[in-house]
Amino acid sequence: AYSGITPLLTIARTTPNANITDVTLSGSIANLAGNTDILTSIFAEGVSLTVGASSPLRGGTIQSPAPLAAPVFSANGANISAVQAIAVDTALLEATAPFVQLLNNATLSTAQSAFSFNGSQISSQGSSFLGINGSTMTVATGDLFRLNNSLLKTTAGDLLSLSNNAKLNINNGFLANLSGASVLDVFGALVNFGTAAGNQITIQNSLAPTTTISVGGFNFPVRLINSAQVSQVVIQGTPIKNLGANQITFPNNSSLFSLDRPNTRIRIRGN
């Protein structure tokens, strides 16, 4: 039985080679579905959600289940191409480590939204949800995070960690796109950069923001549609850590977030 103390999947290359794709997947790296008969009602940021309560992937033992203590997926120096990274449908997924970790010049490219959550609750209880260390992640079409009737929450850390000349490219989507009754609640920063320069995030969708929220010396462009209001986005504290000479850019007047309808919420606490 899987104990959750080592990554569910690790792909490593001793000598990184950007010209070779090591693994190509015609689906998601991890496609997790819960029991649609086991649901729970939760209340987050003023929104009532009905989400999956069964866990298709857990750590610990059958007698004493626990959150995952290792990434679902780790790439070390390898080049991976997939349709999505992690898709979760009507389930509970918890981890005390980053869900995905890219190390040592690894690359991960997804054709669609990288992290797609439908009717689910995702709890990131470690330092970050996604860690990119000296590596590159690219989302060709779609969003980094796509939430539909879901809760994504970091309980102790940041959402993203980029260090050592890491790159994140979202070529035709948003960093977070919320619809239905959905909540993104981040305890720490939206992004925590390594203290060195050279880390870059590029978000391109050519969809102009409805409003721009300025906090901590950074402007957050937000798209609001179908009666969503600016009050549904709360950004506090230090939402971008160690920005310095690192970069977050929005070519063609693009937006960082998209909120669809009044029951979507984003809160970046900036702790």
Side-chain angles (χ1 to χ4, degrees):
Y2 178 61
S3 64
I5 60 175
T6 58
L8 180 67
L9 176 64
T10 298
I11 301 174
R13 169 181 278 276
T14 304
T15 303
N17 187 335
N19 297 317
I20 297 175
T21 300
D22 297 287
V23 176
T24 299
L25 299 173
S26 59
S28 303
I29 296 172
N31 194 338
L32 306 171
N35 187 332
T36 56
D37 293 326
I38 302 177
L39 304 174
T40 188
S41 295
I42 57 177
F43 194 72
E45 294 299 307
V47 177
S48 179
L49 301 91
T50 299
V51 293
S54 65
S55 299
L57 185 65
R58 291 191 68 86
T61 64
I62 295 175
Q63 293 77 16
S64 300
L68 301 171
V72 173
F73 170 65
S74 177
N76 189 333
N79 303 313
I80 317 299
S81 176
V83 176
Q84 294 182 307
I86 299 177
V88 184
D89 191 2
T90 322
L92 167 65
L93 189 62
E94 303 173 290
T96 59
F99 281 92
V100 170
Q101 193 171 50
L102 306 178
L103 306 166
N104 189 27
N105 291 308
T107 67
L108 171 60
S109 301
T110 67
Q112 300 176 10
S113 295
F115 304 103
S116 179
F117 306 135
N118 180 58
S120 296
Q121 49 180 326
I122 313 298
S123 176
S124 174
Q125 301 170 17
S127 59
S128 66
F129 179 99
L130 169 64
I132 307 176
N133 186 340
S135 300
T136 299
M137 181 170 179
T138 300
V139 183
T141 300
D143 313 299
L144 184 63
F145 295 98
R146 181 73 176 89
L147 278 65
N148 180 51
N149 296 317
S150 293
L151 168 65
L152 169 56
K153 184 172 185 176
T154 72
T155 63
D158 309 308
L159 187 64
L160 308 177
S161 171
L162 277 76
S163 57
N164 297 318
N165 294 305
K167 306 287 189 294
L168 172 60
N169 305 306
I170 303 168
N171 292 339
N172 191 17
F174 304 94
L175 189 142
N177 189 348
L178 281 65
S179 61
S182 292
V183 176
L184 171 61
D185 185 353
V186 178
F187 175 84
L190 179 72
V191 183
N192 188 345
F193 288 111
T195 53
N199 302 291
Q200 298 178 7
I201 298 177
T202 303
I203 301 163
Q204 187 165 207
N205 46 60
S206 300
L207 294 170
T210 308
T211 188
T212 298
I213 300 172
S214 299
V215 179
F218 188 82
N219 296 325
F220 297 81
V222 179
R223 182 173 181 257
L224 305 167
I225 61 173
N226 293 324
S227 302
Q229 303 294 318
V230 67
S231 59
Q232 294 167 222
V233 181
V234 177
I235 302 174
Q236 303 166 296
T238 306
I240 309 292
K241 294 177 181 175
N242 302 318
L243 179 59
N246 300 294
Q247 295 183 346
I248 305 176
T249 59
F250 309 95
N252 301 324
N253 195 30
S254 296
S255 298
L256 175 67
F257 302 134
S258 178
L259 288 84
D260 183 354
R261 303 186 187 279
N263 278 337
T264 51
R265 300 284 190 278
I266 291 178
R267 181 165 188 152
I268 311 298
R269 299 175 184 268
N271 292 301

